[in-house]
Amino acid sequence: MPEPPASISIACTEPFRIDVPDPQHRAALTQLVADVAAAGGRALVVGGSVRDALRGDPAKDLDVEVYGLAPDMLEQTLAGRFPLDRVGVSFGVLKLKGLPIDVSLPRRESKRGRGHRGFEIDADPALDLVTASARRDFTINAMAWDPARDALLDPHGGLRDLERGVLRHVSPAFVEDPLRVLRAMQFVARFDLAIAPETVALCRTIEAEDLAPERVFDEWRKLILRGRAVSRGLNVLRDTGWLARDYPELAALIDCPQDPRWHPEGDVWTHTGHVLDAFAARRIGDDAEDLVVGLACLCHDIGKPAATEIDADGAVRSPGHEALGEAPTRALLGRMTRQAKLIDEVVALVLDHMKPFQLYDAGASAAAVRRLARRVGRIDRLVRVNEADARGRPPLPADDEPGRWLLAQADALALADAAPQPLVLGRHLIALGLAPGPQFGPILAEVFDAQLDGIFDDVDAGVAHACALLAARGVLPTG
């Protein structure tokens, strides 16, 4: 295959090489490049791994594009060395089994239908790099690395944009895939970029058109779990018009006033951005936990637009905004994901996100802490939301004392990371001689209430309490 034009190859100050830290993966890439070259083709590493390497991050997943080999010849070349997963072969993609390496042919994409999937894909090994890379979304994702020559190939100015911190679309074909607006959201947040004005203008012309919820949620997941400046990602949605059109629950936060004594940072939208940035700075690295907490930070004040009122003296109040946050939280997340359990966990944190402050101020009892743990599932999650909320009011200093106090109370009760579970169960009532039936529910609920109040703390005492309740009602165990 002929060399790409000199005008699209940017020479780095030092020879450019992607760091592949795993020796097995590095050896596989080296062998693949050599095998492709021996067959008369040329293998280039493309996409996100090139971008990440230029940012100083090691490569984990590698996308390799092979030029100059027909599909059957490429498959034959790879199969002689590697076990293949052919699941994507109809799109010109082969996966190397057991390795984080996908191999594809350069291709054209033509819009034929609505949504993210409405494309006709034409794999063509004879394409040049300029044409093949023009189908990509952003210039920072349209660079390539030639491992055989340790050369960076940059046909669309991605290196310049990366150095300047700019996210810019590659070509007018950007508008054909509406998911790219959400990709812009999470890229801006992850890499702390500024979206180019012309890209913003282009995004404003794009509608969400039939995007699958799972694809939408995947971009939000990356925003929450990988974003460094999450507020900047949210502002992409605001600036492109997607917030008002597709996320009205969040759009309502803009210009929703707050009392400047407690929120000198400004409106609820601004506060929410600060809270999310504070959350991102203190993620724990457990994706499941971080996702619940991050989404709760996103939605924690989503009830304020419906609750906010301004008194005659100008004081701003939002009484009951916690409870009013449930419906918009369920509406917002329900359009993104079908994970009912996740939504319930987020809603629980939204409903009680003020409780750390309130229980601390009241010097609340162990019973109140037990009941709170029962509602939210994990006190440590609630404390993380509380701490992010406290840090989301600059220039006010963060007040972590309520959260630390609540976590200490929960630790003493062994409830920091687990909800209290009933000690007395149906089998215990059966052992007392009661026949199973619908009457078990109210009895067990009353006994559990007593457990939460601290009346007993072991099974034997719980069974004794149940016996006392039954005896007082004239329901006597038989035997």
Side-chain angles (χ1 to χ4, degrees):
M1 177 184 174
E3 289 285 340
S7 61
I8 68 165
S9 179
I10 296 180
C12 296
T13 306
E14 301 292 337
F16 175 68
R17 177 183 293 270
I18 290 181
D19 175 24
V20 183
D22 187 295
Q24 180 188 11
H25 303 166
R26 185 167 60 247
L29 177 63
T30 300
Q31 189 64 62
L32 184 157
V33 171
D35 289 349
V36 166
R42 184 181 183 190
L44 303 178
V45 176
V46 298
S49 56
V50 181
R51 173 202 68 218
D52 292 346
L54 288 166
R55 299 181 68 253
D57 298 327
K60 296 179 181 178
D61 301 311
L62 298 170
D63 292 317
V64 177
E65 214 163 55
V66 174
Y67 292 76
L69 292 184
D72 55 346
M73 185 62 182
L74 172 60
E75 188 169 349
Q76 179 182 335
T77 299
L78 296 177
R81 185 81 63 176
F82 305 100
L84 299 179
D85 182 346
R86 294 174 170 82
V87 67
V89 70
S90 60
F91 299 102
V93 178
L94 294 166
K95 297 176 180 291
L96 306 192
K97 285 184 178 179
L99 295 167
I101 301 176
D102 291 353
V103 183
S104 64
L105 294 170
R107 60 186 187 265
R108 297 183 180 88
E109 294 179 352
S110 303
K111 185 75 166 176
R112 292 290 184 266
R114 289 175 60 81
H116 180 68
R117 298 189 181 96
F119 287 89
E120 182 178 289
I121 296 174
D122 177 25
D124 183 356
L127 281 181
D128 62 273
L129 177 63
V130 177
T131 304
S133 59
R135 70 178 175 81
R136 296 191 174 273
D137 49 10
F138 302 104
T139 61
I140 64 171
N141 295 330
M143 296 178 282
W145 170 50
D146 185 343
R149 299 166 177 79
D150 279 345
L152 176 68
L153 308 176
D154 183 13
H156 304 285
L159 178 60
R160 180 188 63 242
D161 284 341
L162 194 61
E163 290 173 339
R164 296 177 179 177
V166 175
L167 188 70
R168 190 188 317 275
H169 65 281
V170 172
S171 75
F174 179 90
V175 300
E176 295 179 350
D177 183 356
L179 192 67
R180 287 172 169 175
V181 179
L182 298 179
R183 284 172 62 79
M185 169 190 74
Q186 54 102 349
F187 278 136
V188 163
R190 286 169 59 191
F191 305 127
D192 205 10
L193 303 172
I195 188 168
E198 61 269 29
T199 303
V200 171
L202 207 57
C203 288
R204 293 185 71 87
T205 70
I206 303 172
E207 295 186 3
E209 61 170 53
D210 302 330
L211 285 176
E214 61 270 17
R215 300 306 299 268
V216 170
F217 191 61
D218 190 47
E219 301 305 321
W220 279 92
R221 179 191 299 272
K222 291 173 183 175
L223 173 76
I224 296 296
L225 297 181
R226 305 289 177 258
R228 300 181 183 183
V230 181
S231 59
R232 297 187 71 165
L234 290 178
N235 285 336
V236 168
L237 294 184
R238 180 197 62 193
D239 296 343
T240 57
W242 275 50
L243 195 73
R245 187 182 63 220
D246 298 297
Y247 302 98
E249 299 87 358
L250 296 177
L253 305 182
I254 297 174
D255 295 330
C256 181
Q258 301 186 106
D259 192 321
R261 292 174 298 173
W262 313 115
H263 288 282
E265 74 281 3
D267 63 8
V268 181
W269 173 258
T270 303
H271 168 64
T272 299
H274 285 304
V275 170
L276 283 163
D277 291 345
F279 151 77
R282 307 179 82 187
R283 279 189 292 254
I284 63 174
D286 180 326
D287 282 358
E289 287 300 304
D290 284 338
L291 186 60
V292 173
V293 172
L295 289 173
C297 287
L298 174 69
C299 298
H300 79 287
D301 275 348
I302 205 168
K304 278 189 174 179
T308 298
E309 55 190 36
I310 302 177
D311 294 343
D313 60 0
V316 181
R317 301 171 62 251
S318 302
H321 73 275
E322 306 98 307
L324 290 172
E326 178 171 3
T329 296
R330 291 192 181 279
L332 174 67
L333 298 184
R335 295 197 304 276
M336 295 185 193
T337 179
R338 299 179 179 89
Q339 300 176 62
K341 180 175 180 289
L342 173 63
I343 295 174
D344 287 344
E345 290 172 332
V346 173
V347 167
L349 297 175
V350 170
L351 289 172
D352 277 317
H353 75 271
M354 297 293 292
K355 280 297 186 292
F357 300 107
Q358 294 165 353
L359 295 188
Y360 174 73
D361 288 342
S365 65
V369 175
R370 289 191 193 95
R371 292 183 181 280
L372 177 62
R374 178 66 174 169
R375 293 196 301 273
V376 302
R378 295 183 58 146
I379 292 290
D380 57 351
R381 288 177 178 170
L382 187 64
V383 169
R384 292 179 62 200
V385 175
N386 169 258
E387 290 177 344
D389 195 5
R391 283 171 163 73
R393 303 182 297 162
L396 293 181
D399 181 7
D400 288 344
E401 184 58 29
R404 285 196 297 265
W405 174 86
L406 178 58
L407 199 55
Q409 306 304 307
D411 278 333
L413 298 169
L415 294 175
D417 59 0
Q421 299 300 316
L423 294 172
V424 178
L425 306 173
R427 58 186 172 85
H428 296 113
L429 300 186
I430 293 172
L432 292 175
L434 273 73
Q439 77 276 11
F440 270 30
I443 295 170
L444 291 173
E446 188 171 350
V447 173
F448 188 34
D449 268 345
Q451 175 187 328
L452 295 176
D453 284 337
I455 293 174
F456 61 84
D457 59 8
D458 60 52
V459 174
D460 289 343
V463 172
H465 184 78
C467 285
L469 286 178
L470 294 170
R473 296 174 180 177
V475 182
L476 300 176
T478 61

